[in-house]
Amino acid sequence: MNTDILKKTAKQIVASGKGIIAADESNPTCQKRFDAVGVACTEENRRAYRDMLLTTEGLEHYVSGVILYDETIRQRSSTGERFPDVLTKKGMLPGIKVDIGAKDLALHSGEKVTEGLDGLRERLAEYKKTYGAMFAKWRAVITIGDGIPTDACIHANAHAMARYAALCQEVDIVPIVEPEVLIDGNHMIEACYEATEKTLKKTFEELAGQDVILEGTILKASMVIAGKKAAKQSSVEEVARETVRCLKASVPSDLAGVVFLSGGQGDEQATANLNEMNKLEGVPWPLSFSYARAIQNPALKIWAADTKGNIGKAQEALLFRSKMNSLATMGKYSDDMEKRRTY
Ligand code: 5MM
């Protein structure tokens, strides 16, 4: 393990004004996204879609890296270049999702545990050596409901994430640990705060237990927010205040940075919430984005309407949302700016 490389890569991921595009949809998730816009989820369509995203000119001004899926890291752009090389050439870091998904947790109805530790050392070696992966991602899923999340679920997921993170650092790959507290349900923001704090505290306890270097680790966090179906929805100010309060209560200050997932929030809502957090003072980590839906959605819709003719327009939409989120990492976004979009 080379801690200098880990620290340098982690710093690069959360460099000023930059964030991550999560384009690591597994094939079943991609199927859902493509179904919603009427595109067949074939291998070639997935390649063409990712080609559109990754070859967007100027993306590197706002995006430090892209999380790829196993199929994508092995595919090539329309000009014949391997996707990870397309990113590296433009100064963006190739990342890779290495978990194999959230499976039902035994004896715990309604809860999941993420799998993928078996053979992970060998897979990481290949991603690094053959494809130049600089960082990885593992997502755990925590559900809020009647009597859940249980301590057993939080513990099982936190332990797996810590073992994953240690395996990554062994080969100088920066681990992004993503304990996602789902936004689904009608819970109040207080319930989300409680579940998130418990999950984060356990996650960092387990990371410490496996001797993971926090300066070479990134947290991908969900925001503290009321459930999607809650009677009272959270304001931008509330989300920012409660999320930062929760992070401060549970995340060590030597962590390299925090990037957020959007979790089903609207595109502009996710940008506004991030922006508000970055207006707050005294936050010890860079706060940035690692959105999938909230950054890709407009581009996906435009591309789907004409997958050959709309490539330029779709890229314009991706670039615009990337720029808005980049401004949000510096607290410089305002919803007025949305009027300037051309898509
Ligand atoms: C892109 O979706 C990622 C992969 O999910 P599956 O393994 O279920 O296909 C997901 O981990 C994503 O990176 C994060 O959840 C962030 O995505 P959103 O859309 O919540 O910003």
Side-chain angles (χ1 to χ4, degrees), residues 153-333:
C153 172
I154 291 174
H155 185 193
N157 278 295
H159 182 73
M161 272 189 291
R163 288 191 51 207
Y164 138 80
L167 282 162
C168 288
Q169 292 196 337
E170 189 177 70
V171 285
D172 306 330
I173 288 181
V174 166
I176 297 190
V177 293
E178 182 186 11
E180 175 174 4
V181 177
L182 293 181
I183 199 177
D184 305 334
N186 57 5
H187 53 268
M188 318 258 281
I189 190 167
E190 289 79 6
C192 181
Y193 183 101
E194 200 191 316
T196 308
E197 188 183 58
K198 243 187 181 180
T199 303
L200 291 177
K201 281 189 170 159
K202 195 56 164 180
T203 300
F204 284 95
E205 193 183 307
E206 292 291 324
L207 288 170
Q210 297 300 318
D211 300 321
V212 171
I213 312 277
L214 294 186
E215 296 97 321
T217 302
I218 303 282
L219 170 70
K220 178 159 171 169
S222 43
M223 295 182 196
V224 175
I225 190 167
K228 254 188 159 178
K229 291 188 189 142
K232 184 179 173 282
Q233 289 296 302
S234 315
S235 68
V236 170
E237 291 75 19
E238 242 181 317
V239 172
R241 189 189 63 232
E242 291 307 294
T243 304
V244 168
R245 188 166 75 88
C246 187
L247 291 173
K248 281 185 173 176
S250 30
V251 178
S253 56
D254 49 351
L255 180 82
V258 180
V259 295
F260 290 97
L261 58 96
S262 56
Q265 295 181 43
D267 318 336
E268 294 175 29
Q269 185 190 11
T271 309
N273 285 336
L274 176 64
N275 186 61
E276 201 62 28
M277 282 185 235
N278 278 304
K279 286 198 215 157
L280 300 175
E281 293 195 350
V283 182
W285 327 268
L287 303 179
S288 187
F289 58 91
S290 175
Y291 298 154
R293 285 163 286 179
I295 205 159
Q296 292 183 41
N297 272 349
L300 172 62
K301 273 187 207 141
I302 295 167
W303 175 79
D306 181 352
T307 57
K308 294 219 162 57
N310 276 356
I311 292 174
K313 277 190 205 156
Q315 291 181 327
E316 220 175 276
L318 179 72
L319 198 64
F320 185 84
R321 285 257 58 84
S322 302
K323 186 175 178 182
M324 293 301 104
N325 285 307
S326 160
L327 289 167
T329 67
M330 301 178 282
K332 289 183 180 165
Y333 163 84

Side-chain angles (χ1 to χ4, degrees), residues 21-30 32-33 50 67 69 97 99-102 137-139 141 178 180 220 260-265 290-296:
I21 293 182
D24 59 316
E25 295 86 358
S26 57
N27 290 348
T29 302
C30 197
K32 272 195 236 161
R33 306 280 180 262
R50 267 71 181 249
I67 315 172
Y69 179 54
K97 181 242 289 300
D99 66 73
I100 58 167
K137 196 205 77 174
W138 177 291
R139 171 174 172 257
V141 178
E178 182 186 11
E180 175 174 4
K220 178 159 171 169
F260 290 97
L261 58 96
S262 56
Q265 295 181 43
S290 175
Y291 298 154
R293 285 163 286 179
I295 205 159
Q296 292 183 41

Side-chain angles (χ1 to χ4, degrees), residues 7 14 33 62 65 105 113 117-118 175 177 193 266 269 301 320:
K7 286 184 196 173
V14 288
R33 306 280 180 262
Y62 314 116
L105 178 63
V113 62
L117 288 172
D118 288 354
V177 293
Y193 183 101
Q269 185 190 11
K301 273 187 207 141
F320 185 84

Side-chain angles (χ1 to χ4, degrees), residues 18-72:
K18 292 193 181 174
I20 294 173
I21 293 182
D24 59 316
E25 295 86 358
S26 57
N27 290 348
T29 302
C30 197
Q31 175 93 50
K32 272 195 236 161
R33 306 280 180 262
F34 278 17
D35 282 352
V37 293
V39 172
C41 192
T42 61
E43 188 175 340
E44 172 49 24
N45 281 345
R46 292 192 292 270
R47 190 207 62 78
Y49 175 64
R50 267 71 181 249
D51 190 38
M52 179 279 290
L53 295 178
L54 304 184
T55 61
T56 299
E57 230 170 275
L59 201 60
E60 64 277 12
H61 299 308
Y62 314 116
V63 171
S64 54
V66 180
I67 315 172
L68 304 171
Y69 179 54
D70 180 77
E71 175 185 270
T72 321

